[in-house]
Amino acid sequence: MRFRRYAVYHLPGGRLGDFGSAWLGWDARHGLVHLRPEGLPPDVETVTAVPRRYGFHATLKAPFRLAEGRTPEDLARRLRLVCDHLAPFALELEPRCDWGFLALRPRHQPVELLALESALVTRLDDLRAPLTGAERERRSPDALPPQAHAHLDHWGYPFVLDLFQYHLTLSGQLPPPRAEALRQALAPHLAPLVAAPMPVAAVALMGEDEDGFFRMIEEVPLRG
């Protein structure tokens, strides 16, 4: 099955993955609308509207169209080869609202995470179609810092490599006071889920369907 765009994400598993999917209302791993649990803030539909269609994920290779002549099978095969040489690791997570939205972020980014992101960005890039003018303009290139602007033109996405920051998105853009209030409201739900480091032992090849929602195509283990 061909999708209109592809991406490589990390999809948390276990209780954290279940909570994130329930919070957003979309389970990208199984391609299902997820029922929300009781006791969540009443405006959850509104604050999760933007990230919902991506599912509970961290971006490692941002969504892209396949280059002319390339197939989803080419992409899956390359991804498996890359992951054969990358080691699993774990992340200590905490909820933060640094950039105007709520997300779970690692307390620090270990070298294994940086190696994973760098390999996926660079070693899959020949399979990516160049950005169209409209795709490029959606990233507001003139508002980007110089290094982000250069990354956009070279890799098709601004916040990669030296600008990469792992994050599991929990909301759309919010005014700072609202983001902080949401962080406090979710803290009791999240605290037991991030008390221990989260393992990162696989990545997910994702496809964007015609409805705009992302679904997992294949989960690829890190075998290095």
Side-chain angles (χ1 to χ4, degrees), residues 59-60 62 99 117 121 139 143-145 147-149 151-152 156-165 167:
T59 298
L60 297 170
W99 298 342
E117 188 267 349
V121 166
R139 297 291 177 191
L144 292 172
Q147 185 70 346
H149 195 159
H151 286 330
L152 176 66
Y157 191 70
F159 303 110
V160 298
L161 304 177
D162 55 319
L163 300 182
F164 169 69
Q165 295 286 332
H167 57 280

Side-chain angles (χ1 to χ4, degrees), residues 107-216:
R107 295 180 188 274
H108 71 281
Q109 298 197 124
V111 293
E112 295 89 348
L113 170 60
L114 301 178
L116 172 63
E117 188 267 349
S118 176
L120 295 174
V121 166
T122 60
R123 295 182 61 189
L124 302 179
D125 206 58
D126 62 300
L127 305 177
R128 176 181 64 85
L131 293 177
T132 65
E135 288 170 338
R136 186 176 182 277
E137 286 306 309
R138 276 199 292 273
R139 297 291 177 191
S140 303
D142 293 340
L144 292 172
Q147 185 70 346
H149 195 159
H151 286 330
L152 176 66
D153 288 339
H154 194 101
W155 303 110
Y157 191 70
F159 303 110
V160 298
L161 304 177
D162 55 319
L163 300 182
F164 169 69
Q165 295 286 332
Y166 179 104
H167 57 280
L168 294 161
T169 305
L170 291 166
S171 80
Q173 289 286 329
L174 296 170
R178 180 67 189 96
E180 176 58 22
L182 184 62
R183 187 191 68 79
Q184 294 182 24
L186 286 186
H189 299 275
L190 292 170
L193 303 178
V194 299
M198 177 192 66
V200 180
V203 300
L205 177 60
M206 310 295 296
E208 182 189 27
D209 218 337
E210 291 303 318
D211 60 6
F213 281 75
F214 280 79
R215 294 162 166 81
M216 188 176 79

